[in-house]
Amino acid sequence: INIVRCFQENLIACGDDEGNVSFWDKRMKNSVKMVKVHDDYVTDMAVDEENDNLYMTSGDCTLSIFDLKNMKIFEQSYPQNSELTSVNIMDNGRKIFCSSQCGMVHIFNKGTFGIPSNRFSDHQCDINTMIKVDERTLLTGGSDGKIRAIKTFPNKILGVVNSDYTKNPIEKLSLSYDKKYVASISFRKSVKFYDIGELNKNQISKGENWGKSTNETKEENEREKLVESMGKLNGKNEEEKLGEIAKKNELEKVGIKKGDVKGKNEKEKLEK
């Protein structure tokens, strides 16, 4: 099973390696129904509960629309030029955005799913995952290790979320319930969290590394408290004392204490 989506309170849809989608009812032990939808593995699913539709993307390069009311395939797109890796319902259901391994985002209009109405090709890498922030904003995870924020209508890249990115590809992204943080996983055995509060405030410029990891945010808060304390000091002596405290804290962060430094010359070098 590659992807799981819950809908209608008790129902679960699962997409597998064979292109099948299985439907389960939490009140029953066995699956309700299994349908062969794609010729290759299912990469992502998005539920439109208002219209009883399930959108699916697959390694066979197609987007399919499944009718949940009648439990059958409603429509399927023509194959695109590479695997479709994710699907998101945008613009209040009027647009369907699908990312692909060739770095292109395919945009379908509701009701005309045969071919995309538009394409967004500003990514210079494979897009492994893509998630919706709001009706006009998406986050993409690339094979180059970057998490990008993109704005729609007009379509453009706003910036890179993870300033500490590495060459490890982003495999999956997930938003917190309040949409203030995004979690990412790659080939490393860890989950990274980034503060995307600035994204919600629309304070991002193109190409700017504006996202901060939770550790970076904590360090910034400590520095801000220190600066605020300095502003409340009266007299040179108190300011010098606080400067010494700040210096000591910075040395202890790298595991160096005052007693570890021998001789005046070594101390001066370390301070420089």
Side-chain angles (χ1 to χ4, degrees):
I1 294 175
N2 294 319
I3 188 72
V4 176
R5 289 287 181 265
C6 301
F7 61 100
Q8 293 180 7
E9 189 174 354
N10 291 309
L11 297 179
I12 301 171
C14 305
D16 64 23
D17 278 344
E18 305 299 323
N20 301 312
V21 57
S22 303
F23 295 95
W24 300 75
D25 191 321
K26 290 189 290 183
R27 297 162 295 186
M28 301 173 65
K29 292 183 178 180
N30 299 321
S31 62
V32 177
K33 190 169 186 176
M34 177 184 285
V35 182
K36 176 72 171 177
V37 180
H38 290 281
D39 296 327
D40 206 336
Y41 70 105
V42 178
T43 56
D44 197 14
M45 297 188 294
V47 181
D48 179 6
E49 292 198 41
E50 186 177 342
N51 297 295
D52 289 324
N53 287 329
L54 177 67
Y55 296 92
M56 288 178 279
T57 50
S58 169
D60 65 9
C61 310
T62 64
L63 165 71
S64 64
I65 301 87
F66 192 86
D67 185 345
L68 294 171
K69 190 174 182 179
N70 298 304
M71 283 294 175
K72 64 179 183 180
I73 300 174
F74 174 68
E75 196 171 349
Q76 192 164 15
S77 73
Y78 290 106
Q80 305 306 304
N81 52 2
S82 66
E83 293 183 12
L84 300 182
T85 56
S86 62
V87 57
N88 288 272
I89 304 168
M90 302 294 291
D91 195 20
N92 298 306
R94 290 187 286 269
K95 302 281 185 179
I96 309 299
F97 278 61
C98 301
S99 62
S100 67
Q101 280 197 343
C102 69
M104 191 173 292
V105 178
H106 303 271
I107 305 170
F108 295 85
N109 286 333
K110 184 179 179 180
T112 55
F113 297 110
I115 57 174
S117 62
N118 198 0
R119 291 182 174 91
F120 177 53
S121 58
D122 283 7
H123 289 74
Q124 302 301 317
C125 63
D126 299 349
I127 305 174
N128 296 329
T129 181
M130 183 171 67
I131 57 171
K132 173 182 175 181
V133 179
D134 56 43
E135 298 301 328
R136 294 294 178 93
T137 314
L138 293 156
L139 294 175
T140 63
S143 59
D144 59 357
K146 294 181 181 180
I147 303 171
R148 294 175 174 85
I150 64 174
K151 207 74 176 176
T152 62
F153 319 118
N155 305 320
K156 62 179 180 179
I157 294 178
L158 296 175
V160 178
V161 171
N162 53 337
S163 57
D164 63 340
Y165 69 88
T166 63
K167 291 184 179 180
N168 292 308
I170 303 296
E171 294 299 315
K172 285 293 180 182
L173 296 172
S174 182
L175 284 177
S176 61
Y177 75 97
D178 56 4
K179 299 185 179 180
K180 289 183 178 180
Y181 298 93
V182 61
S184 71
I185 58 170
S186 62
F187 292 148
R188 291 186 174 184
K189 296 179 180 179
S190 61
V191 180
K192 288 189 174 184
F193 297 87
Y194 296 96
D195 183 349
I196 58 169
E198 293 181 15
L199 174 61
N200 298 325
K201 295 174 184 176
N202 296 318
Q203 294 177 350
I204 318 161
S205 59
K206 183 176 174 63
E208 183 184 354
N209 289 330
W210 53 270
K212 301 180 182 69
S213 67
T214 51
N215 287 335
E216 288 174 322
T217 304
K218 185 178 178 181
E219 288 177 7
E220 277 201 3
N221 290 338
E222 289 176 359
R223 285 195 293 270
E224 285 175 3
K225 287 179 182 178
L226 188 62
V227 171
E228 186 179 348
S229 298
M230 288 183 72
K232 294 177 181 178
L233 294 177
N234 295 318
K236 187 177 179 181
N237 291 336
E238 292 189 40
E239 200 167 308
E240 285 177 354
K241 285 180 184 178
L242 191 56
E244 288 295 325
I245 294 170
K247 190 186 296 180
K248 181 183 176 182
N249 290 341
E250 290 298 320
L251 294 179
E252 288 180 353
K253 279 183 182 178
V254 293
I256 301 171
K257 296 180 182 178
K258 190 176 180 180
D260 298 331
V261 181
K262 297 178 181 180
K264 185 178 179 182
N265 292 336
E266 288 189 33
K267 185 179 178 183
E268 288 176 352
K269 287 179 183 178
L270 186 59
E271 288 177 354
K272 286 181 180 179

